[in-house]
């Protein structure tokens, strides 16, 4: 019985661990499921600035061109810049999408993240045969997809997407928001809730580029008697963090 069943089972996809973080993509490519795209975001835990989502499809067999490619959070700034240049030059296709703070407030961070991933994949210049997402499923993509735990560490295309998102967002914070709002030090902390950022926000109150639906931003606004520049609560006026109208952005 076992021998007969073996004849009708589809062949297994062999994942060669020696291929490192290119193994999963290579296995899918060998089964004719390419091009394989990865998608990841930067700025989910920040309380100011946009959420940026990157999508990237890398060329099969191009791994030797991407030495050191891994999760952007474990890379130095210079390493990310070097890899960003390589990715944008050699990728089969890539895209980045910016979800501004007001849209994060309107949708909520998780919904905004999912929407950004759908937009980023849709903007690719090629139709992916398969999409790898980092950590959780994304419904509504135009291609089959699978969530990969720690995808930015184990899948090269997801790592490339994380680098695209991180570098793009860091540059927006340093070159754009810091010039508009120099008092907050956005060039240093990139909008994350560091002690320096918290101290500046306590001193100045939040600006329009903060995420006013986040608990620490709402608390700082309340201390300064500030009203939200946009609607993020069903109740008008000052935020009351105790009423559940805001979200906790959690630790860094």
């Amino acid at each position: 019985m076992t021998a007969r069943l073996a004849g009708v089972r589809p062949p297994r996809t062999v994942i060669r661990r020696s291929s490192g973080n290119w193994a999963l993509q290579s296995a899918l490519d060998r089964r004719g499921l390419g091009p394989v795209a990865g998608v990841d975001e930067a700025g989910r835990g920040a309380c100011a600035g946009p959420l940026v989502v990157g999508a990237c499809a890398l060329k099969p067999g191009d791994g030797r061109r991407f030495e050191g490619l891994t999760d952007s959070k474990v890379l130095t700034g210079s390493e990310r810049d070097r890899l960003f240049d390589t990715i944008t030059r050699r990728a089969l296709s890539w895209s980045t999408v910016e979800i501004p703070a007001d849209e994060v407030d309107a949708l909520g961070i998780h919904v905004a993240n999912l929407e950004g991933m759908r937009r980023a994949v849709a903007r690719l210049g090629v139709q992916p045969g398969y999409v790898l997402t980092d950590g959780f499923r994304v419904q509504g993509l135009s291609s089959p997809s699978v969530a990969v735990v720690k995808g930015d560490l184990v899948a090269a295309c997801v790592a490339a997407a994380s680098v695209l998102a991180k570098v793009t967002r860091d540059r927006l914070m340093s070159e754009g928001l810091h010039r508009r709002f120099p008092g907050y030090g956005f060039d240093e902390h990139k909008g994350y809730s560091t002690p320096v950022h918290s101290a500046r926000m306590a001193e100045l109150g939040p600006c329009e580029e903060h995420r006013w639906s986040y608990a620490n931003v709402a608390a700082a606004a309340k201390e300064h008697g500030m009203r939200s520049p946009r609607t993020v609560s069903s109740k008008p006026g000052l935020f009351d963090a105790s009423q559940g109208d805001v979200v906790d952005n959690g630790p860094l």
Side-chain angles (χ1 to χ4, degrees):
M1 185 63 151
T2 303
R4 290 200 303 272
L5 288 175
V8 297
R9 288 175 182 163
R12 292 182 178 180
T13 298
V14 178
I15 296 180
R16 296 167 182 153
R17 297 188 183 279
S18 60
S19 300
N21 62 0
W22 285 76
L24 181 55
Q25 173 178 326
S26 297
L28 292 169
D29 281 326
R30 289 197 302 274
R31 294 299 304 274
L33 297 174
V36 181
V39 60
D40 200 9
E41 89 287 330
R44 184 184 177 97
C47 66
L51 177 75
V52 176
V53 182
C56 186
L58 299 174
K59 300 173 186 176
D62 212 21
R64 61 190 179 88
R65 305 281 188 173
F66 293 90
E67 182 180 355
L69 178 60
T70 187
D71 176 9
S72 63
K73 293 186 291 295
V74 303
L75 297 169
T76 65
S78 60
E79 289 171 334
R80 286 194 295 267
D81 287 340
R82 173 182 61 82
L83 284 164
F84 182 90
D85 291 342
T86 302
I87 293 164
T88 54
R89 185 175 67 252
R90 295 201 58 86
L92 183 63
S93 184
W94 64 275
S95 70
T96 57
V97 168
E98 177 185 346
I99 307 291
D102 60 347
E103 192 169 350
V104 172
D105 282 336
L107 298 176
I109 186 61
H110 185 63
V111 174
N113 195 10
L114 296 177
E115 177 61 22
M117 289 183 170
R118 286 188 283 266
R119 293 179 193 175
V121 172
R123 289 187 184 182
L124 289 173
V126 298
Q127 177 67 37
Y130 225 87
V131 177
L132 305 181
T133 63
D134 183 24
F136 50 85
R137 291 185 59 198
V138 180
Q139 296 181 334
L141 295 174
S142 59
S143 302
S145 65
V146 64
V148 181
V149 177
K150 297 188 181 300
D152 44 13
L153 287 172
V154 302
C157 57
V158 179
S162 77
V163 170
L164 290 170
K166 173 67 173 168
V167 172
T168 298
R169 186 177 189 279
D170 282 358
R171 291 175 180 176
L172 286 170
M173 299 301 294
S174 296
E175 300 169 9
L177 265 64
H178 177 63
R179 291 179 181 175
R180 289 176 58 198
F181 306 99
Y184 294 95
F186 287 137
D187 59 330
E188 301 174 23
H189 50 69
K190 309 302 189 292
Y192 288 90
S193 300
T194 65
V196 169
H197 187 188
S198 297
R200 300 283 177 84
M201 193 161 52
E203 176 187 354
L204 303 171
C207 70
E208 64 187 65
E209 292 297 334
H210 280 91
R211 300 175 186 175
W212 287 68
S213 58
Y214 280 41
N216 58 335
V217 177
K222 187 173 183 180
E223 287 296 316
H224 284 263
M226 298 173 68
R227 296 177 182 271
S228 170
R230 48 188 170 268
T231 301
V232 296
S233 169
S234 60
K235 293 181 298 186
L238 295 176
F239 284 105
D240 184 349
S242 67
Q243 298 301 313
D245 297 324
V246 295
V247 297
D248 185 356
N249 57 319
L252 290 177

